[in-house]
Amino acid sequence: MEVLLQQIINGLVLGSMYALVALGYTMVYGIIGLINFAHGDVLMVGALTSWTVIGWMTSASTGLPTWVVLLLATVIAMVVCATLNFTIEKLAYRPLRNSNRLAPLITAIGMSLLLQTFAMIIWAPNPKSYPSMLSREPIEFGGAVISVTQVVILATTAVTLAFLMWLVNRTNLGRAMRATAENPRVAALMGIKPDVVISATFIIGAMLAAIAGVMWASNYGTVQHAMGFMPGLKAFVAAVMGGIGNLAGAVVGGIALGLIESLGAGYLGKLTGGVLGSQYTDIFAFIVLAIVLTLRPSGLLGERVADRA
Amino acid sequence: MMNTKTGKLIVFLIAGAALLLLPIILQSTGSNSWVRIVDIALMYVLLALGLNIVVGYAGLLDLGYIAFFAVGAYVFALLGSPHLADTFPAIKAMFPNGLHYNIWLVMILAAAVAGVVGMILGAPTLKLRGDYLAIITLGFGEIIRIFLLNMDRPLNITNGPKGISQIDTISVFGLDLGKRLTIGDYTFQPVTLYYYLFLFFVILAIVISYRLQDSRIGRAWMAIREDEIAAKAMGLNTRNLKLLAFGMGASFGGVSGVLFASFQRFVSPESFSLMESVMVVAMVVLGGIGHIPGVVLGALLLAGLPELLRHVAHPLTAMTDGRLAPEILRQLLIALAMVIVMLLRPKGLWPAPEHGKSLSK
């Protein structure tokens, strides 16, 4: 029972990080129909930027409480990632917006590789340990433990999601985004500038990815240039699972995937009598994707039949 | 008419002679590393030609293609090394000298196994198109790699991350390509002998690719690529044809895997990372998707240039204090090439002269 509760907590934490990244994927895919492979690497840039900022502020011994340092680092990471994603879209994706479907996809893969390479050049390829900025004291309940970092991750995700829902459903920008996703041409006729909306989407997605990156680094304690690719892929799986283009779906998909992975990792060894162990965790996401796409290609919450490509 | 024909023949003969003499010239520099680079480049050409069947002809974007290469390599590694006999006493009892099957049998077997794996993996993706197909094939590629990495327990089949070593070299009609061959005063290095083997397979693959392209099956694939619904309406069995494309492409990958395993004499899951799949896709797309000369060009450029760079990069590495290590520089070049070529020439460096609508829109 304790194991179950513990795995559920871990799954929720993992899932809320997937959800934040999945939102970035789903918004971009909903509007321009591109799988932005570089999205996971934006998460990596966010994590590494915050690592550098924390390093500076610690060595400058500003005397600020550690949570303020973490908050500042997160904000700076968000700004850096937003600028980066804005630039990527403008330079690499915009010129290809009306070309065949393969070219933007290949460009996105190239971009992902490019970001990883730049990160290797700037931050060197070795894994770096990420300082723990919040209390290490674990909180116990019901036989399971949860760290302060994990509580903060869950709370931040909830606040961020609430803010995003408000932004998309209640503001003019949000309305413009939804209109562009529905039909870019008609939206343009109504006076919406698609370029502005698309840039805004990339910026918002990057900020969410930066938050997720800081969370990921704080939770696992290491940062490295390749850290973003797998979470990025899995977040895409989460977005497809929930129904791509659907914001609530991305959140549901992310949390579901987090739970599946963590429960799977916890019980796979027991279920198969030790033949398959937790080292197979990474394959769950893809098996789930295969099943979802075979049985329900529009995803759990999606309405459209997914045949955009 | 006669003139162009003789002209073509002359060009053909010169090109043939150049290809045959190339490793001998490179070998005369005294080091084997240049010949090795050309060997590896030829292997990538083979892979790119195989992927071209799936991506170029049938229009199915496969991001996990390296998995079939891995399957071929591991089939040969298991059948052509002492690993299985050392691990399982039962096999040891049956084959006291280890399993060393005939290379040609193994190659057919590897092509068949890879082809079947390709069809099995292709089956759930039949209904998907474009982007989803890319992600799910990428996932399958990773799944195969994870299995290779972890199948060292409870039964040690793949030897896990340590990989399998002491793999047999290839013998062609009694001539062991792993040993030096001396004819008169001249000594052929093993890398040079392998060059000729790889060249043979590349030429074979090019011929097969051309024959496929003009065949009934090839035209059916292209019809599916252009418009699947229309192709179906014309009475094509799109399901079987897509499976055939997956299987065909995969068996090319399997054969290259066997060549790779015997050339390196060592395989480990590390060689079959996602990055390799991306490389092969990049070769096909950058060269000119669906166009055989373009694909060959793309493969040679992407496989060869970074290696050349690695040899001249040392001053740059020293200048930047080791930050721009050759490995990083290579990756940087590939990434930049992918982005820049797509931006400037979305159809690739050497695209096919005539296009269907989905490729040239």
Side-chain angles (χ1 to χ4, degrees):
Chain A
M1 201 56 213
E2 283 96 59
V3 180
L4 180 67
L5 187 63
Q6 187 65 55
Q7 294 302 348
I8 288 178
I9 292 173
N10 294 346
L12 283 177
V13 171
L14 183 63
S16 60
M17 294 187 283
Y18 284 154
L20 285 183
V21 185
L23 281 167
Y25 269 113
T26 222
M27 285 194 298
V28 166
Y29 197 94
I31 290 186
I32 57 172
L34 164 75
I35 300 180
N36 182 8
F37 267 97
H39 195 65
D41 300 288
V42 173
L43 173 149
M44 171 273 294
V45 171
L48 279 165
T49 310
S50 71
W51 177 80
T52 307
V53 173
I54 290 174
W56 282 343
M57 292 175 84
T58 315
S59 62
S61 53
T62 45
L64 291 168
T66 48
W67 67 269
V68 178
V69 174
L70 187 62
L71 188 66
L72 277 175
T74 311
V75 172
I76 294 173
M78 284 165 76
V79 173
V80 169
C81 288
T83 320
L84 179 71
N85 222 15
F86 172 77
T87 319
I88 292 175
E89 193 272 329
K90 195 139 197 163
L91 291 183
Y93 300 155
R94 188 164 300 181
L96 291 173
R97 201 172 292 156
N98 296 317
S99 98
N100 66 60
R101 67 189 165 86
L102 263 186
L105 200 61
I106 297 291
T107 314
I109 297 172
M111 220 26 158
S112 159
L113 204 56
L114 199 59
L115 287 183
Q116 287 185 32
T117 316
F118 280 142
M120 266 200 274
I121 295 170
I122 298 172
W123 283 288
N126 59 311
K128 290 157 272 285
S129 82
Y130 196 85
S132 146
M133 304 304 286
L134 300 166
S135 162
R136 284 166 188 276
E137 208 60 42
I139 306 162
E140 241 184 273
F141 70 92
V145 285
I146 182 165
S147 71
V148 177
T149 309
Q150 290 176 321
V151 175
V152 173
I153 288 176
L154 292 175
T156 315
T157 307
V159 173
T160 313
L161 291 182
F163 178 75
L164 191 72
M165 289 299 159
W166 171 78
L167 184 84
V168 171
N169 291 324
R170 294 271 181 276
T171 63
N172 276 337
L173 176 63
R175 197 171 299 127
M177 281 166 67
R178 282 180 288 140
T180 312
E182 194 76 31
N183 190 332
R185 260 185 220 168
V186 178
L189 287 176
M190 298 297 133
I192 294 168
K193 294 189 177 64
D195 282 351
V196 175
V197 172
I198 291 169
S199 289
T201 310
F202 272 85
I203 288 173
I204 296 168
M207 287 179 161
L208 296 177
I211 297 176
V214 176
M215 288 176 172
W216 194 278
S218 310
N219 195 36
Y220 293 104
T222 60
V223 281
Q224 200 214 352
H225 67 275
M227 67 182 278
F229 198 79
M230 255 305 155
L233 275 184
K234 288 180 182 166
F236 178 78
V237 172
V240 173
M241 207 168 132
I244 194 126
N246 183 319
L247 295 188
V251 177
V252 172
I255 290 177
L257 185 63
L259 286 173
I260 290 172
E261 281 201 339
S262 122
L263 290 174
Y267 286 97
L268 189 64
K270 221 179 269 176
L271 286 179
T272 56
V275 176
L276 301 173
S278 59
Q279 70 268 29
Y280 287 98
T281 312
D282 279 348
I283 71 176
F284 287 130
F286 299 115
I287 291 174
V288 166
L289 182 69
I291 294 171
V292 169
L293 287 179
T294 313
L295 299 182
R296 198 176 154 81
S298 55
L300 297 176
L301 302 186
E303 298 121 38
R304 278 177 305 187
V305 175
D307 195 13
R308 290 183 66 116
Chain B
M1 279 312 270
M2 193 59 203
N3 262 342
T4 53
K5 241 185 189 171
T6 28
K8 264 188 182 167
L9 193 66
I10 289 169
V11 170
F12 190 75
L13 285 178
I14 292 175
L19 280 175
L20 288 179
L21 287 175
L22 179 69
I24 296 174
I25 297 164
L26 289 176
Q27 194 188 319
S28 66
T29 58
S31 105
N32 285 334
S33 61
W34 292 104
V35 191
R36 253 192 103 75
I37 291 172
V38 179
D39 286 3
I40 299 281
L42 284 179
M43 217 176 52
Y44 274 115
V45 171
L46 206 53
L47 276 175
L49 286 170
L51 184 65
N52 186 47
I53 294 178
V54 188
V55 182
Y57 292 172
L60 307 161
L61 181 56
D62 186 345
L63 282 183
Y65 185 67
I66 212 71
F68 310 122
F69 183 58
V71 168
Y74 267 87
V75 165
F76 184 59
L78 289 176
L79 295 179
S81 80
H83 170 72
L84 277 185
D86 287 351
T87 325
F88 300 104
I91 295 177
K92 183 94 179 166
M94 278 190 308
F95 306 91
N97 300 321
L99 312 142
H100 297 284
Y101 282 106
N102 181 307
I103 177 69
W104 304 109
L105 283 180
V106 175
M107 203 165 275
I108 294 167
L109 180 71
V113 172
V116 170
V117 172
M119 287 196 211
I120 292 172
L121 295 190
T125 66
L126 287 174
K127 281 192 206 153
L128 311 174
R129 282 180 57 84
D131 306 347
Y132 287 144
L133 186 74
I135 288 278
I136 206 153
T137 49
L138 189 161
F140 283 140
E142 280 296 286
I143 288 176
I144 290 209
R145 192 181 62 84
I146 291 170
F147 269 98
L148 291 179
L149 200 57
N150 291 305
M151 271 176 32
D152 51 346
R153 70 208 127 118
L155 280 178
N156 187 358
I157 298 169
T158 63
N159 209 19
K162 288 194 289 294
I164 299 175
S165 52
Q166 293 177 292
I167 300 170
D168 291 349
T169 51
I170 291 182
S171 294
V172 183
F173 303 121
L175 169 67
D176 188 349
L177 298 188
K179 294 203 182 84
R180 283 192 198 131
L181 171 70
T182 310
I183 298 175
D185 294 340
Y186 194 78
T187 307
F188 287 93
Q189 298 291 336
V191 275
T192 309
L193 298 175
Y194 267 103
Y195 169 89
Y196 291 117
L197 182 72
F198 287 4
L199 188 66
F200 167 74
F201 274 100
V202 165
I203 291 170
L204 189 68
I206 290 176
V207 172
I208 293 177
S209 291
Y210 269 116
R211 300 298 294 155
L212 269 178
Q213 185 177 305
D214 299 332
S215 73
R216 206 183 158 81
I217 296 171
R219 281 178 281 130
W221 280 335
M222 282 169 230
I224 292 176
R225 179 187 76 196
E226 300 308 331
D227 192 332
E228 195 175 334
I229 296 167
K232 218 174 200 163
M234 291 295 122
L236 292 176
N237 186 338
T238 55
R239 188 195 62 199
N240 289 1
L241 282 164
K242 278 175 158 186
L243 281 181
L244 188 65
F246 272 120
M248 235 14 170
S251 56
F252 271 59
V255 170
S256 347
V258 171
L259 295 176
F260 174 75
S262 80
F263 179 61
Q264 298 280 357
R265 308 199 62 194
F266 170 73
V267 291
S268 79
E270 233 175 87
S271 314
F272 312 109
S273 64
L274 179 63
M275 176 64 198
E276 295 296 316
S277 285
V278 170
M279 272 280 280
V280 183
V281 173
M283 286 166 181
V284 174
V285 177
L286 294 190
I289 184 159
H291 188 224
I292 294 163
V295 170
V296 174
L297 175 77
L300 289 178
L301 279 182
L302 272 189
L305 277 187
E307 296 293 335
L308 286 182
L309 195 81
R310 203 202 295 250
H311 283 258
V312 295
H314 290 297
L316 199 60
T317 311
M319 223 161 61
T320 52
D321 222 15
R323 290 223 151 189
L324 280 179
E327 224 8 81
I328 296 180
L329 211 56
R330 175 172 179 260
Q331 198 174 322
L332 183 69
L333 197 82
I334 293 168
L336 279 176
M338 284 170 82
V339 175
I340 293 171
V341 172
M342 279 300 106
L343 285 175
L344 300 181
R345 288 183 73 94
K347 282 181 236 159
L349 292 171
W350 192 354
E354 49 177 341
H355 278 295
K357 71 173 189 291
S358 82
L359 282 179
S360 67
K361 188 186 118 187

